[in-house]
């Protein structure tokens, strides 16, 4: 044990040189065998647990440096400050932590800590982290293997594609050669037939030429005159036959040629044999977190719908008129400090109210706004009523920060936990990041959807023409739908982490609470003043519910569970 090289602190004070064998964390002293025996017998230290230097040396340097006394006051740590998460001596309590009210005696804090749930949870967290990292590392190695296999597959497919292109070119060659042979034979036969006809005419002309020579030589003048007239008519007929043959294109020069259409445009027609694509998708590795499982199970429990109550804070607040004689308010939201914002389509503006309902300001826009979604304390995203753009606005200054576009007109927009859920005409639901980069596309064909929310891995939205609220998964497959005679033409949808949906009934003029499972509904508020009720939004910080009508009436409620 003397191999530790440490001297016994107690013996050293008596000028005795003895190597230490153990360490007392409480006394912060090294002990030899003899002093260890006395140490365990003293009343003040007999409860101290010593450790061998062999074990002590295994501790991390940061742990070895932890002292039991306050560095500032050189006094023993007696208490633990829970708000600041630091140990305190008596002097600390009188100075730095004089205002702190949650102080616990240190001996109670450390007592049984080794057997505590906190330590057990911490160890479980480390174990989960190791398991998760092992899974992730294995996943990366699996990805390497997949890349290697798919590289070989790609190379084979490229070679096969090349062979298919060559085979196609061979077929084109055979086809063209056959066409050349066919055209050559067809025109060869036609020319040969024409030659025969011309040869027959030639024979007749040669015979007549011979007869004319003989007649001229031996016939009398009278015979020559009469015969010449007859021969002249015959020659004219032969000339006519010849010209008829010429008119039938029999004398035209015929040739065949080949003009390549691919050599000149090969780079345009065939710039590549194909594309090599990199496909990135979410890992299917399920991370383990045993410590939080119970907390998660508790967090997702849906509160009793029957116990939800609304307390009216503001009602029938009239939004200020703009340049137009009418208001068309499509959506609303909560801004920082409980302020309220509304999209006014006709007046191309955002209307901002204070938390008490007083008008604070208008934010002018260059387009007719439809949906609005709060991104941060000072930012909100606003969609265009008749376009595909989403504009990010600084709600304090009113300036446009940036914008991005989708591949179609936008019907619905919401933002939750760092992700946009956007309903795009002709595509369906798109999940994007704050910059508008598409993370996931979910095909969905219905267009009578004005509000949609993403809650965990499910999408909730209303079909106002069908009097139903629908839940679908991230593949666009309907999981369940909800209908009730109390809820007519549902439009606005808001959700909270407690698996509760708040719905506005456009025709039923009411506000309802619906469990996310779709099996429990409660009408929370019904009033004739809710005519043309549309937008709804929930503010978890204050547990407040904001609703507004298309013609500019505002209602604010406090929600209790």
């Amino acid at each position: 044990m003397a191999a530790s090289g440490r001297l016994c602190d107690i013996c050293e004070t008596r000028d005795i040189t003895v190597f230490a064998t153990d360490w007392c964390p409480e006394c912060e002293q090294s002990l030899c065998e003899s002093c260890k025996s006395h140490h365990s017998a003293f009343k003040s230290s007999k409860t101290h647990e010593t450790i061998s230097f062999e074990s002590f040396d295994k501790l991390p340097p940061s742990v070895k440096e932890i002292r039991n006394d306050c560095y500032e006051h050189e006094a023993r740590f007696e208490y633990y400050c829970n708000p600041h998460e630091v140990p305190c001596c008596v002097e600390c309590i009188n100075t730095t932590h004089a205002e702190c009210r949650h102080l616990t005696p240190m001996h109670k804090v450390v007592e049984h800590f080794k057997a505590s749930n906190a330590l057990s949870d911490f160890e479980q967290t480390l174990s989960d982290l190791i398991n998760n990292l092992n899974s992730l590392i294995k996943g990366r190695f699996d990805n390497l293997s997949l890349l290697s296999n798919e590289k070989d597959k790609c190379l084979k497919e490229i070679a096969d594609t090349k062979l298919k292109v060559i085979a196609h070119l061979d077929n084109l060659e055979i086809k063209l050669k056959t066409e050349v042979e066919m055209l050559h034979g067809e025109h060869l036969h036609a020319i040969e037939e024409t030659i025969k006809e011309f040869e027959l005419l030639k024979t007749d002309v040669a015979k007549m030429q011979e007869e004319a020579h003989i007649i001229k030589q031996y016939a009398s003048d009278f015979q020559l005159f009469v015969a010449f007239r007859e021969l002249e008519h015959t020659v004219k007929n032969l000339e006519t036959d010849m010209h008829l043959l010429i008119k039938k294109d029999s004398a035209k020069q015929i040739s065949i040629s080949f003009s390549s259409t691919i050599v000149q445009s090969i780079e345009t027609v065939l710039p590549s044999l194909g594309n090599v694509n990199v496909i990135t998708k979410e890992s299917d590795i399920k991370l383990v977190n045993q410590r939080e499982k119970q907390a998660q199970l508790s967090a997702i429990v849906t509160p009793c719908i029957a116990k939800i109550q609304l307390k009216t804070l503001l009602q029938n607040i009239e939004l200020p008129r703009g340049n137009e004689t009418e208001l068309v308010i499509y959506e609303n939201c909560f801004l920082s400090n409980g302020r309220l914002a509304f999209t006014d389509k006709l007046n191309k503006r955002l209307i901002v109210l204070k938390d008490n309902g007083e008008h604070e300001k208008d934010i002018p826009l260059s387009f007719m706004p439809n949906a609005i979604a709060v991104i941060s304390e000072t930012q909100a995203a606003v969609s265009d009523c008749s376009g595909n753009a989403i504009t990010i606005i600084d709600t304090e200054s009113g300036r446009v920060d940036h914008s991005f576009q989708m591949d179609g007109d936008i019907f619905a927009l919401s933002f939750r936990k760092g992700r946009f859920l956007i309903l795009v005409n002709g595509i369906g639901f798109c999940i994007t990041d704050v910059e508008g980069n598409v993370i996931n596309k979910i095909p969905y064909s219905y267009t009578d959807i004005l509000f949609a929310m993403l809650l965990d891995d499910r999408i909730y939205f209303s079909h106002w023409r069908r009097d139903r609220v629908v839940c679908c998964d991230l593949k666009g497959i309907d999981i369940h739908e909800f209908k009730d005679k109390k809820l007519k033409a549902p439009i606005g949808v808001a959700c909270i982490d407690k698996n509760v949906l708040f719905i506005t009934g456009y025709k039923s003029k009411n506000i309802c609470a619906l469990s996310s499972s779709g099996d429990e509904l409660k009408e929370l508020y019904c009033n004739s003043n809710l005519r043309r009720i549309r937008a709804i939004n929930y503010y978890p910080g204050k547990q407040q519910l904001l609703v507004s009508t298309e013609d500019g009436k505002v209602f604010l409620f406090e929600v209790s569970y």
Side-chain angles (χ1 to χ4, degrees):
M1 300 300 292
S4 67
R6 294 286 295 270
L7 298 177
C8 175
D9 289 333
I10 296 175
C11 290
E12 196 171 12
T13 60
R14 296 182 292 153
D15 296 326
I16 300 173
T17 302
V18 179
F19 284 108
T21 59
D22 291 83
W23 172 261
C24 177
E26 291 288 331
C27 300
E28 296 181 343
Q29 287 183 319
S30 56
L31 307 170
C32 64
E33 287 288 352
S34 176
C35 291
K36 176 186 175 184
S37 177
H38 292 296
H39 178 270
S40 61
F42 290 148
K43 183 178 180 179
S44 60
S45 60
K46 65 180 181 180
T47 58
H48 295 183
E49 293 185 9
T50 61
I51 59 173
S52 67
F53 267 107
E54 183 180 1
S55 300
F56 178 75
D57 288 337
K58 292 179 181 178
L59 292 173
S62 59
V63 176
K64 291 180 183 179
E65 294 173 1
I66 296 175
R67 294 176 54 185
N68 295 317
D69 296 334
C70 177
Y71 287 93
E72 185 177 355
H73 303 114
E74 295 296 330
R76 191 78 169 180
F77 287 127
E78 299 289 346
Y79 292 90
Y80 184 78
C81 178
N82 290 290
H84 294 101
E85 297 183 343
V86 292
C88 310
C89 68
V90 175
E91 287 297 320
C92 290
I93 294 174
N94 294 328
T95 55
T96 311
H97 299 272
E99 301 297 324
C100 298
R101 293 291 178 266
H102 299 285
L103 298 170
T104 308
M106 184 58 71
H107 70 88
K108 288 188 177 181
V109 174
V110 302
E111 187 179 21
H112 308 305
F113 188 74
K114 284 188 177 180
S116 68
N117 290 333
L119 186 58
S120 176
D121 287 346
F122 177 72
E123 291 174 335
Q124 184 62 54
T125 298
L126 292 178
S127 176
D128 289 346
L129 191 55
I130 288 292
N131 290 333
N132 290 336
L133 288 170
N134 285 337
S135 297
L136 291 169
I137 291 170
K138 181 180 180 298
R140 294 298 83 208
F141 276 113
D142 290 345
N143 202 170
L144 287 175
S145 177
L146 176 66
L147 280 175
S148 178
N149 293 336
E150 292 195 337
K151 182 198 76 171
D152 294 340
K153 181 181 176 182
C154 286
L155 293 176
K156 182 179 182 302
E157 289 177 350
I158 290 170
D160 291 344
T161 302
K162 175 187 172 183
L163 293 176
K164 289 178 182 178
V165 171
I166 292 173
H168 179 62
L169 292 175
D170 289 340
N171 289 333
L172 292 178
E173 180 187 15
I174 293 171
K175 182 180 177 181
L176 286 173
K177 284 182 175 179
T178 302
E179 185 178 355
V180 168
E181 292 290 344
M182 181 188 69
L183 290 173
H184 174 265
E186 178 183 330
H187 290 290
L188 177 66
H189 176 72
I191 292 171
E192 286 177 343
E193 290 297 318
T194 302
I195 290 172
K196 288 180 180 178
E197 292 179 350
F198 282 132
E199 288 287 353
L200 287 174
L201 287 175
K202 179 184 174 183
T203 301
D204 291 342
V205 172
K207 181 178 178 183
M208 189 171 298
Q209 187 181 30
E210 184 179 350
E211 287 180 356
H213 178 70
I214 293 172
I215 291 170
K216 179 182 177 182
Q217 186 175 1
Y218 299 109
S220 66
D221 291 340
F222 177 76
Q223 288 175 325
L224 176 62
F225 175 77
V226 174
F228 174 75
R229 293 300 177 187
E230 291 179 359
L231 290 174
E232 192 175 46
H233 287 297
T234 303
V235 169
K236 285 183 179 180
N237 290 335
L238 290 174
E239 284 182 337
T240 301
D241 290 342
M242 182 185 71
H243 285 296
L244 286 174
L245 284 175
I246 292 172
K247 284 184 178 180
K248 292 196 302 182
D249 297 336
S250 299
K252 286 187 176 179
Q253 187 71 23
I254 299 174
S255 64
I256 57 175
S257 66
F258 171 70
S259 59
S260 172
T261 59
I262 192 171
V263 173
Q264 294 85 351
S265 57
I266 188 68
E267 292 184 357
T268 304
V269 175
L270 193 66
S272 170
L273 291 178
N275 298 314
V276 179
N277 303 311
V278 177
I279 302 171
T280 303
K281 65 177 183 178
E282 293 293 331
S283 171
D284 57 2
I285 296 172
K286 302 296 183 183
L287 299 183
V288 179
N289 196 334
Q290 298 291 342
R291 184 172 60 86
E292 292 183 2
K293 263 188 180 178
Q294 190 59 42
Q296 290 173 349
L297 290 173
S298 300
I300 63 174
V301 173
T302 304
C304 179
I305 297 294
K307 292 182 179 180
I308 298 178
Q309 300 289 335
L310 296 185
K311 176 184 176 182
T312 303
L313 300 177
L314 300 173
Q315 63 177 336
N316 278 335
I317 299 294
E318 294 278 354
L319 291 174
R321 301 288 162 177
N323 296 327
E324 299 291 333
T325 56
E326 293 185 4
L327 294 177
V328 176
I329 306 300
Y330 275 171
E331 287 206 25
N332 60 43
C333 68
F334 286 94
L335 301 180
S336 59
N337 301 322
R339 295 177 301 153
L340 317 173
F342 306 84
T343 61
D344 181 1
K345 173 187 173 182
L346 291 183
N347 291 284
K348 294 184 180 180
R349 60 175 175 165
L350 297 182
I351 305 172
V352 180
L353 303 185
K354 298 178 182 178
D355 59 357
N356 62 0
E358 294 180 4
H359 182 234
E360 179 178 304
K361 63 179 178 180
D362 288 348
I363 299 176
L365 303 171
S366 61
F367 55 90
M368 292 191 294
N370 179 13
I372 183 170
V374 173
I375 301 174
S376 66
E377 288 281 322
T378 59
Q379 284 186 320
V382 184
S383 66
D384 189 340
C385 269
S386 57
N388 62 346
I390 292 177
T391 303
I392 312 301
I393 296 172
D394 186 311
T395 54
E396 300 301 320
S397 65
R399 292 194 302 269
V400 173
D401 286 344
H402 65 278
S403 64
F404 61 86
Q405 293 183 331
M406 303 303 294
D407 293 332
D409 290 345
I410 296 167
F411 290 158
L413 166 71
S414 62
F415 185 80
R416 184 174 170 81
K417 296 184 177 180
R419 296 186 294 174
F420 282 114
L421 176 67
I422 308 168
L423 180 60
V424 182
N425 185 25
I427 296 177
F429 293 107
C430 291
I431 297 175
T432 77
D433 60 16
V434 180
E435 300 299 323
N437 300 308
V438 177
I439 300 170
N440 192 9
K441 287 185 179 180
I442 304 157
Y444 210 81
S445 58
Y446 291 101
T447 57
D448 62 330
I449 303 170
L450 302 177
F451 286 78
M453 299 295 298
L454 184 63
L455 180 59
D456 297 327
D457 57 353
R458 295 185 177 184
I459 300 172
Y460 295 87
F461 51 90
S462 57
H463 279 159
W464 61 275
R465 287 177 180 161
R466 296 166 178 79
D467 292 330
R468 66 174 187 162
V469 179
V470 181
C471 170
C472 76
D473 61 18
L474 297 186
K475 294 181 180 178
I477 300 172
D478 289 354
I479 298 173
H480 61 75
E481 68 171 46
F482 180 85
K483 286 187 175 184
D484 192 281
K485 61 183 180 180
K486 297 178 185 176
L487 189 59
K488 298 297 182 183
I491 292 188
V493 179
C495 66
I496 61 174
D497 286 329
K498 293 183 179 180
N499 281 357
V500 173
L501 306 175
F502 293 110
I503 315 290
T504 58
Y506 190 85
K507 292 182 179 179
S508 49
K509 302 179 183 137
N510 59 357
I511 306 167
C512 294
L514 175 66
S515 63
S516 61
S517 57
D519 55 8
E520 192 175 0
L521 176 92
K522 179 182 179 181
E523 185 180 68
L524 300 176
Y525 188 83
C526 183
N527 194 302
S528 59
N529 290 325
L530 294 180
R531 189 180 72 88
R532 296 174 66 189
I533 185 173
R534 181 182 174 113
I536 188 166
N537 216 290
Y538 181 76
Y539 184 28
K542 291 186 175 183
Q543 290 190 187
Q544 291 181 350
L545 193 66
L546 172 65
V547 296
S548 56
T549 64
E550 285 186 353
D551 55 359
K553 290 187 177 64
V554 177
F555 298 77
L556 184 65
F557 303 93
E558 184 178 74
V559 184
S560 60
Y561 300 97

